[in-house]
Amino acid sequence: MGGQRRILIVGAGVAGPVLAVFLKRAGIECHIFEALPGISDSGGALGIAANGMAVLANAGVAELLRDVSVCSGELRFENESGGVLAVAPAVDGRRYGQTGISITRAALHRTLVEYAERQGIAVQYGKRLAGIEDRPDRPIVAVFADGSSAEGDVIVGADGIRSQVRQAVMPDAAGPAYTGMMTLSGFSPCLEQGVVARSPQPMHFVFGQKAFFGYFNTVTPEGPRTVWWSTFAAPLSAKNELKQASTAELRKRLMELHCDWAAPVPNLIGDAPELLGIAIHDVPSLPRWSAGRTILIGDAAHAVAPHSGQGASMALEDAQMLAFLLRDGFENPGEVFRKFEQLRRPRTDKVIAMGRRNAQRKEAIPRAAYWIQQQVLRVVIPLAFGRAQDRLLRYRVEDQLQQPR
């Protein structure tokens, strides 16, 4: 690899720009290649937990993101009749060093990419990966569908659950598999007055017998909005139909599930001008996350279902961990990749398992089972939720790297 230190990052979503910022700080040249023609303004919203915000603070971008988001407030667990099952208080920023945020995907991506570009990191759009050439004693080459190519020392696949990098270097690996769950979401007029950036906003989790519904207030360039999502079981045939359905048809489907639920659920569904449908996919555990001089991070390596609330944070932790390991061991990428997977896989496996358990609470169940589920939530949330959150939120990449191995 000689004196050259050049990394090609495929994907400008969450992990890619943050990885590039850390690498740039370590004196490693990096270039980002994104398949989309530009920064996407589409998508719903998500939460970034305190552990993910700690990474963003280390990267120097946390406060910029707080300017275009709201703080994560208390978590309210409810039933479809409007009854409150349990309330988990907002995360204590003094305990974890950070508070979480709730942010639109468009604001998250734009802020991260523009911040990386201001650090002098090149981002090229319209670069869909077509293949990778990894030959001994030569630079590794990323070949793009437009006929162009780029040379480097290492390629990082940060291109999400449908990773083209994974397909290029692990063509026999299992691809994304439909989980049988569908999510429809939308932005509606804000339920509350005075919602501004950095204000604490509660998140509502509403458990029904046939579906799950969540909502919270956030900020957008058009003003404050209430973002919501409905998650429900849908067989493969129904999934394909929903992908082709119009907004009116999707709204009708949602009303069939939620019309008799307590306010504000039906109102939110009716007031959203547009609806976004997402079929939830999972990637079976990969036997390895790297091949040659190519490594996968984030959803490309370990797709974390949205039910965990940790997908973005896991990708951010990956970015910081890989950057620190490459900074200290760039001349031996194989050893860096081995160490990265050894350090990261146990944690991501636990989060994936947690997400799958949470998904089971959102499936349609018999009435008797629904009653039992409510009683369990009443007991478990006050007793165990805080401890579970503590294990997730107190983790820091730099602390793990300092532990003897």
Side-chain angles (χ1 to χ4, degrees):
M1 297 176 63
Q4 184 183 18
R5 291 158 61 92
R6 189 168 194 254
I7 292 182
L8 312 180
I9 301 170
V10 179
V14 175
V18 174
L19 171 64
V21 168
F22 283 121
L23 291 173
K24 175 80 172 183
R25 190 178 297 169
I28 300 174
E29 180 185 357
C30 49
H31 296 254
I32 301 175
F33 301 89
E34 169 58 48
L36 294 176
I39 300 175
S40 174
D41 289 325
S42 62
L46 74 160
I48 302 179
N51 53 307
M53 290 302 295
V55 174
L56 293 166
N58 287 336
V61 73
E63 295 308 309
L64 294 175
L65 289 168
R66 293 191 187 280
D67 288 338
V68 291
S69 65
V70 297
C71 295
S72 302
E74 66 181 16
L75 306 181
R76 300 180 63 86
F77 299 82
E78 303 161 5
N79 61 25
E80 62 185 54
S81 301
V84 177
L85 304 174
V87 177
V91 167
D92 186 351
R94 293 169 298 181
R95 179 177 180 82
Y96 300 112
Q98 297 286 332
T99 56
I101 62 171
S102 300
I103 187 170
T104 65
R105 290 188 179 275
L108 174 62
H109 292 158
R110 181 171 296 279
T111 303
L112 292 180
V113 170
E114 291 180 349
Y115 180 74
E117 289 178 323
R118 288 198 298 273
Q119 310 309 306
I121 296 162
V123 182
Q124 296 186 46
Y125 296 98
K127 297 295 182 181
R128 181 176 177 81
L129 187 78
I132 291 175
E133 299 174 0
D134 189 356
R135 300 173 184 172
D137 303 319
R138 297 184 184 182
I140 191 169
V141 179
V143 180
F144 301 102
D146 63 2
S148 65
S149 62
E151 294 184 349
D153 300 303
V154 168
I155 291 178
V156 179
D159 51 343
I161 190 171
R162 301 188 183 280
S163 171
Q164 293 301 304
V165 175
R166 183 179 63 233
Q167 177 62 29
V169 297
M170 304 177 190
D172 297 329
Y178 179 51
T179 63
M181 303 292 287
M182 188 85 181
T183 290
L184 296 178
S185 63
F187 289 87
S188 298
C190 196
L191 291 173
E192 304 291 340
Q193 300 293 321
V195 175
V196 296
R198 295 176 178 261
S199 60
Q201 297 297 318
M203 189 172 291
H204 298 257
F205 300 127
V206 188
F207 293 83
Q209 184 185 348
K210 298 180 180 178
F212 169 86
F213 195 93
Y215 65 96
F216 59 85
N217 304 316
T218 191
V219 291
T220 74
E222 293 75 33
R225 295 289 186 272
T226 298
V227 61
W228 56 266
W229 66 100
S230 170
T231 302
F232 53 90
L236 187 61
S237 58
K239 181 205 82 166
N240 293 332
E241 291 173 8
L242 289 171
K243 287 178 65 176
Q244 305 298 324
S246 66
T247 295
E249 291 169 330
L250 294 175
R251 200 185 314 274
K252 179 181 178 182
R253 167 69 169 143
L254 285 175
M255 284 302 189
E256 290 172 353
L257 287 170
H258 299 291
C259 64
D260 58 348
W261 287 34
V265 173
N267 311 76
L268 289 171
I269 295 170
D271 291 343
E274 298 179 1
L275 300 179
L276 173 67
I278 299 175
I280 300 175
H281 286 69
D282 200 352
V283 175
S285 180
L286 298 175
R288 64 188 190 283
W289 293 351
S290 63
R293 288 175 287 174
T294 299
I295 187 167
L296 307 173
I297 65 172
D299 280 357
H302 48 73
V304 179
H307 317 291
S308 69
Q310 279 283 327
S313 294
M314 289 298 104
L316 290 166
E317 290 179 2
D318 279 0
Q320 184 178 356
M321 176 73 78
L322 181 60
F324 284 14
L325 292 175
L326 283 170
R327 177 195 64 190
D328 298 333
F330 194 88
E331 297 303 321
N332 191 347
E335 177 61 20
V336 166
F337 297 167
R338 184 199 63 77
K339 186 179 296 185
F340 172 80
E341 186 172 343
Q342 179 188 39
L343 292 171
R344 290 297 298 156
R345 190 185 280 271
R347 179 164 168 83
T348 59
D349 281 352
K350 289 178 182 177
V351 172
I352 291 169
M354 180 186 72
R356 288 172 178 165
R357 289 194 301 271
N358 291 345
Q360 293 173 354
R361 300 192 182 105
K362 301 177 182 180
E363 297 175 349
I365 54 178
R367 179 159 294 277
Y370 177 51
W371 182 88
I372 293 172
Q373 180 193 71
Q374 294 178 74
Q375 310 318 308
V376 170
L377 288 171
R378 292 182 197 274
V379 174
V380 170
I381 297 301
L383 289 179
F385 186 79
R387 291 196 298 272
Q389 287 291 96
D390 204 55
R391 289 192 294 271
L392 279 173
L393 304 184
R394 295 185 71 176
Y395 172 88
R396 296 293 181 268
V397 168
E398 53 270 34
D399 293 342
Q400 185 178 13
L401 286 173
Q402 291 172 2
Q403 294 175 1
R405 294 184 294 275

